[in-house]
Amino acid sequence: MATTLNMAMPVSMWSPTQTKTTKTVAQPHEFQSQKLNILLKAITSSTTLRQLKQVHTQILRSNLERSHSLLIRLLLSSAAFSSEYAVSLFSQIPNPPTHFSNQLLRDFSRGPTPYNALLLYYTLRTCVPLALDNFSFPPLLKAVSRASALNQGLEIHGFASKLGFDADPFIQTGLIGMYAACGRVVDARLLFDKMSHRDVVAWNIMFDGYCQNGCYDCVLELYEVMKSSGVEPDGVIFCTVLSACGHAGNLSYGKAIHELIRKRDMVLDSHLQRALINMYANCGAMDLARKLYDEFSTKHLVVSTAMLSGYAKLGMVKEARMIFDEMIEKDLVCWSAMISGYAESDQPHEALKLFDEMQLRRIVPDQITMLSVISACSHVGVLEKAKWVHAYVDKNGFRRALSVNNALIDMYAKCGSLDRAREVFENMPRKNVISWSSMINAFAMHGDAHSAINLFHRMKEEHVTPNGVTFIGVLYACSHAGLVEEGQNFFSSMIDEHGISPKLEHYGCMIDLYCRANLLRKAIEVIETMPFAPNVIIWGSLMSACQVHGEVELGEFAAKRLLEIEPDHDGALVVLSNIYAKERRWDDVGLIRKLMSHRGISKERACSRIEMNNEVHEFMMADKYHEKSDQIYEKLGEVVSELKLIGYTPSTSGILVDIEEEEKKELVLWHSEKLALCYGLISGRKESSCIRIVKNLRICEDCHTFMKLVSKVYQIEIVVRDRTRFHHCKGGVCSCRDYW
């Protein structure tokens, strides 16, 4: 392709002063047509605004400025680079015919920048008001809907009424869609009810408007009205109503619609098939979804993807993977759905493995895929993988996406690198409340409460309004740092200063704050006075605090309340057993264990992972399966001997089984995080490198002491991520300041 127009199309070719004689002379209209085609090709091949301006110059020299097809192509192409230039081109056209301006309005309203249609509208109103007629308003209203430009929509509505077009059914339908798209669904319904004639398109737009605004019960109410209107619903309306049934969880209504579709003997195209599958899946009826799916002789790609997504959202990833593997054709959507299913079902390794396979097949991910990959990486907690994902994001053009940057903050925080999380945050070209909340929560989970609080104040100074999630992060930070008074002040300011009504999560943070500070009576007061029934998490906080602080009766009470909500909760049964064991009530311990055995309930096994030399190694308690098991236990013995020289004695207070003291000491030394640490010590790491361990349960008191002492004796940094927070051990001190 030529870089300048003159190289591809010499000026002399079009010059009106051309005098060279040829044997075959083209007719004037043929010559004009040739020039027109050449210029159209030049517009299509132009890749910069400068090239388009060169084409414009040639149009003027060739006396083709009255060619509407040429000007429309030039205007649309230039709008991709500069809407102002495109509108200025239009304003230079003397007395543009109405059909010309309407075509431009239609093309702009459908294009990537619908606001261009509004710019053209204001130019027309100012310069050529007669160029607007009743056909001008539907594309204008479509542009307003796509741009969510309510104020401009109100002005256009007023102008249409002034011109007497407000009774036009096409304009009325456009107004309904505009108000619904801008969140004014009540105004949309008022206009809909005033229409003298409502065709199926108008009904469709009103149904869709309710769905867009999450008014799913209103969709079902409107469908009842439609049944007595004499207008027959089409397939699109049935799809919308089924979607509303799924979102509202109204299975009985959805089944009734399905039955009506059967009675009407409607052809189930791929859209209706997908709508039915989604409805059953969103209502949790995967058995009915599967039964229907098996009836389809041809499995369309979008229908199989809907089935896969339904299983994945319910955590049924094995069934989802079966659908995925059976699909002959796979697009990006189904790959993303499967990766998301793994990421959200606590199988992050499978999500990352599938993403690697996707890369081998050269399928280019989109933003949705990357958010699932980042989420999976967050769950794994492997920093090297996190760095790779971040590099991939930058290399493949996702770095400008706000949601991706917000996810990267959370990923780095959960992979133990607070510095990298902060770096992403500070380098973001723009931030929203989620960005600030993510960074505050990052500080909180790493025990840096003061940085979390300082960032909250900086957020307010920059006029970003905190939301409920922001306050959860700040309260969490206060809870894990023992800042009781500060936490109380933040809770009060949330209500009084910011007008945010506390949700169950906020009350949960306050209860946790009091529980950790051994203010158990205050925690009980909050539980008794809050406007919500306490859930498993709240009773669990109180129960665990009672175990730590030796409040046997209250702990037993909390455990029993929790078990009323979730009878098979393994954590509550174990804590209750431990409470009885501390009191040496071995008969009660036996009863709990018999109950667990009878119900097939087992305690969640402790597991620790360590990232070393770009590989992840996993250890269980007393693990002997690792290939370097002998060296690990040898190193463990060596480390224990060295620690004993500076006063370390294994603490057996957490071993609540009726065995000899020496056996308890042996058990506590075989905890999974100690084995992971010793593997890190023998694995030829760099001198300055940090040992990072991820544990699925809360770190015990003895292991916490062990990590601190090893960091001092071996002069290394150890970062442990347990179930609730991070512990950065360095020089014999932990970032939690022994408050966790």
Side-chain angles (χ1 to χ4, degrees):
M1 184 182 70
T3 56
T4 64
L5 185 69
N6 291 340
M7 290 174 66
M9 296 163 289
V11 174
S12 61
M13 184 175 176
W14 299 319
S15 173
T17 60
Q18 179 79 354
T19 57
K20 184 176 180 180
T21 304
T22 58
K23 290 182 179 179
T24 305
V25 179
Q27 295 298 316
H29 70 276
E30 291 177 0
F31 189 61
Q32 200 81 343
S33 177
Q34 287 174 7
K35 288 192 289 186
L36 185 67
N37 288 334
I38 291 170
L39 288 166
L40 284 170
K41 287 179 181 177
I43 292 170
T44 304
S45 63
S46 295
T47 56
T48 66
L49 183 61
R50 182 169 175 267
Q51 289 176 353
L52 288 169
K53 286 180 178 179
Q54 288 179 343
V55 178
H56 185 201
T57 301
Q58 297 297 345
I59 289 171
L60 294 173
R61 287 181 181 177
S62 306
N63 296 320
L64 287 170
E65 65 269 20
R66 293 183 182 277
S67 169
H68 289 163
S69 62
L70 196 59
L71 289 174
I72 286 173
R73 186 75 64 84
L74 180 64
L75 281 164
L76 291 173
S77 296
S78 59
F81 300 102
S82 170
S83 54
E84 291 80 4
Y85 180 72
V87 172
S88 73
L89 281 177
F90 181 84
S91 64
Q92 293 170 24
I93 302 171
N95 302 316
T98 303
H99 72 86
F100 182 39
S101 55
N102 285 345
Q103 185 172 345
L104 275 175
L105 285 170
R106 281 193 296 274
D107 289 331
F108 280 157
S109 70
R110 296 168 184 160
T113 314
Y115 207 82
N116 288 338
L118 303 180
L119 286 174
L120 180 59
Y121 163 72
Y122 289 118
T123 301
L124 289 169
R125 282 208 60 180
T126 306
C127 306
V128 204
L130 294 177
L132 290 164
D133 63 8
N134 58 319
F135 294 106
S136 309
F137 287 92
L140 273 173
L141 293 167
K142 181 178 181 179
V144 170
S145 300
R146 290 186 61 208
S148 298
L150 178 61
N151 290 335
Q152 289 87 338
L154 293 169
E155 193 271 335
I156 291 168
H157 185 182
F159 187 55
S161 299
K162 184 180 177 181
L163 295 176
F165 297 148
D166 52 337
D168 184 303
F170 294 101
I171 293 174
Q172 288 178 329
T173 303
L175 286 167
I176 293 166
M178 181 273 290
Y179 279 114
C182 293
R184 298 275 285 267
V185 71
V186 174
D187 293 324
R189 181 61 187 268
L190 287 171
L191 281 169
F192 178 80
D193 289 341
K194 287 178 182 177
M195 288 182 73
S196 56
H197 173 69
R198 298 190 289 259
D199 62 8
V200 72
V201 176
W203 285 94
N204 245 316
I205 287 174
M206 193 64 243
F207 277 120
D208 193 52
Y210 275 136
C211 260
Q212 282 178 28
N213 288 275
C215 305
Y216 304 116
D217 289 330
C218 293
V219 171
L220 308 186
E221 175 265 325
L222 185 65
Y223 180 73
E224 292 299 317
V225 174
M226 186 183 191
K227 287 189 334 191
S228 58
S229 71
V231 180
E232 286 292 321
D234 61 6
V236 178
I237 286 177
F238 279 129
C239 285
T240 307
V241 174
L242 287 167
S243 175
C245 291
H247 283 97
N250 195 330
L251 179 60
S252 59
Y253 205 104
K255 288 168 78 173
I257 296 293
H258 187 186
E259 186 60 31
L260 178 62
I261 291 169
R262 285 187 193 276
K263 284 181 179 177
R264 289 180 56 174
D265 203 24
M266 288 183 69
V267 175
L268 287 181
D269 61 12
S270 60
H271 300 291
L272 266 176
Q273 288 180 1
R274 178 175 61 178
L276 285 163
I277 294 292
N278 280 335
M279 181 273 294
Y280 284 123
N282 287 334
C283 291
M286 284 310 297
D287 53 338
L288 296 176
R290 183 69 205 221
K291 183 181 177 184
L292 177 64
Y293 180 75
D294 289 339
E295 291 175 8
F296 302 147
S297 56
T298 303
K299 307 291 194 286
H300 195 281
L301 174 64
V302 296
V303 181
S304 295
T305 303
M307 195 71 198
L308 184 161
S309 299
Y311 277 132
K313 286 175 184 175
L314 293 172
M316 303 169 71
V317 287
K318 185 179 177 182
E319 292 82 355
R321 186 59 190 257
M322 285 178 66
I323 297 286
F324 181 82
D325 290 339
E326 288 168 3
M327 293 170 70
I328 299 169
E329 180 189 358
K330 297 183 182 75
D331 63 1
L332 176 60
V333 177
C334 71
W335 280 92
S336 296
M338 194 65 245
I339 290 170
S340 174
Y342 278 132
E344 293 173 13
S345 300
D346 202 24
Q347 295 191 39
H349 291 287
E350 290 298 321
L352 296 175
K353 184 179 173 184
L354 194 61
F355 180 68
D356 289 340
E357 185 181 335
M358 183 177 159
Q359 296 300 292
L360 291 173
R361 299 198 183 196
R362 299 188 183 281
I363 298 169
V364 180
D366 63 4
Q367 190 172 312
I368 295 170
T369 317
M370 291 314 302
L371 288 171
S372 294
V373 170
I374 293 168
S375 172
C377 202
S378 301
H379 282 90
V380 172
V382 177
L383 183 58
E384 288 305 313
K385 189 69 175 179
K387 291 177 186 176
W388 182 90
V389 169
H390 189 186
Y392 186 93
V393 162
D394 287 349
K395 183 181 176 183
N396 291 276
F398 296 107
R399 66 186 306 170
R400 293 187 178 276
L402 184 59
S403 59
V404 170
N405 280 312
N406 291 339
L408 287 173
I409 294 170
D410 183 65
M411 177 190 75
Y412 273 128
K414 288 178 177 172
C415 290
S417 181
L418 196 55
D419 289 339
R420 287 180 178 271
R422 193 185 336 220
E423 185 181 339
V424 172
F425 175 78
E426 297 296 351
N427 290 333
M428 287 173 70
R430 65 187 181 96
K431 304 177 182 74
N432 62 6
V433 66
I434 299 172
S435 317
W436 291 89
S437 301
S438 297
M439 194 64 231
I440 287 169
N441 193 57
F443 283 128
M445 74 172 75
H446 283 265
D448 193 349
H450 294 291
S451 292
I453 292 168
N454 289 338
L455 190 64
F456 177 84
H457 293 311
R458 180 182 148 197
M459 174 186 184
K460 291 178 66 179
E461 287 167 6
E462 296 195 21
H463 307 292
V464 181
T465 304
N467 61 16
V469 177
T470 317
F471 278 100
I472 288 174
V474 177
L475 292 171
Y476 180 90
C478 293
S479 171
H480 283 260
L483 303 176
V484 175
E485 187 176 344
E486 289 87 342
Q488 290 172 329
N489 292 337
F490 278 118
F491 188 79
S492 298
S493 74
M494 179 180 76
I495 301 166
D496 302 332
E497 184 182 342
H498 297 280
I500 298 172
S501 298
K503 294 185 177 178
L504 184 61
E505 292 85 354
H506 299 105
Y507 285 108
C509 286
M510 291 305 294
I511 291 162
D512 191 58
L513 174 74
Y514 291 134
C515 283
R516 289 178 185 278
N518 199 14
L519 299 170
L520 301 180
R521 297 303 157 192
K522 275 188 170 290
I524 287 291
E525 282 178 28
V526 176
I527 291 172
E528 290 176 343
T529 57
M530 67 182 186
F532 303 100
N535 61 7
V536 167
I537 295 170
I538 286 173
W539 286 124
S541 292
L542 182 61
M543 175 185 74
S544 299
C546 290
Q547 184 184 12
V548 171
H549 299 300
E551 290 283 346
V552 177
E553 288 184 14
L554 187 56
E556 186 176 3
F557 169 79
K560 287 180 176 178
R561 295 292 79 77
L562 192 159
L563 290 167
E564 286 175 5
I565 301 169
E566 196 175 313
D568 293 341
H569 192 287
D570 63 315
L573 289 165
V574 169
V575 169
L576 194 56
S577 172
N578 289 345
I579 288 171
Y580 292 149
K582 269 192 174 182
E583 295 294 299
R584 308 191 72 78
R585 292 164 57 180
W586 300 115
D587 290 343
D588 291 327
V589 171
L591 288 172
I592 295 289
R593 290 183 179 171
K594 280 182 184 177
L595 176 66
M596 291 177 71
S597 177
H598 178 70
R599 293 183 183 173
I601 303 167
S602 58
K603 177 185 175 182
E604 184 179 0
R605 293 187 67 191
C607 170
S608 295
R609 297 192 303 270
I610 181 170
E611 171 194 354
M612 194 59 59
N613 302 323
N614 294 328
E615 290 186 10
V616 178
H617 300 262
E618 197 168 89
F619 295 89
M620 311 299 282
M621 181 179 174
D623 200 327
K624 293 284 181 74
Y625 294 103
H626 196 278
E627 61 181 3
K628 293 189 176 180
S629 180
D630 291 341
Q631 296 99 305
I632 290 168
Y633 280 93
E634 185 180 336
K635 186 65 177 179
L636 177 61
E638 177 192 312
V639 171
V640 171
S641 297
E642 290 201 43
L643 297 190
K644 284 181 177 179
L645 295 176
I646 59 169
Y648 170 68
T649 303
S651 170
T652 60
S653 59
I655 306 295
L656 299 173
V657 289
D658 191 14
I659 58 175
E660 295 297 322
E661 187 66 19
E662 284 306 310
E663 290 180 83
K664 288 183 180 182
K665 286 182 180 180
E666 209 168 55
L667 282 177
V668 81
L669 288 174
W670 292 345
H671 279 187
S672 61
E673 54 265 61
K674 290 190 180 83
L675 299 178
L677 173 63
C678 289
Y679 176 71
L681 292 172
I682 66 170
S683 294
R685 61 186 178 79
K686 295 177 184 177
E687 280 292 315
S688 59
S689 66
C690 169
I691 292 180
R692 301 175 186 278
I693 298 168
V694 178
K695 186 177 182 182
N696 63 331
L697 302 177
R698 183 179 184 271
I699 188 170
C700 76
E701 186 179 336
D702 182 73
C703 287
H704 189 256
T705 301
F706 192 88
M707 297 294 166
K708 289 192 299 177
L709 292 175
V710 170
S711 75
K712 180 179 180 180
V713 171
Y714 288 82
Q715 297 184 357
I716 56 170
E717 183 180 0
I718 303 167
V719 178
V720 180
R721 173 181 130 184
D722 72 5
R723 175 168 276 180
T724 59
R725 63 172 296 157
F726 279 87
H727 299 267
H728 294 256
C729 301
K730 193 172 183 180
V733 178
C734 181
S735 58
C736 74
R737 298 179 180 85
D738 298 337
Y739 188 93
W740 86 99

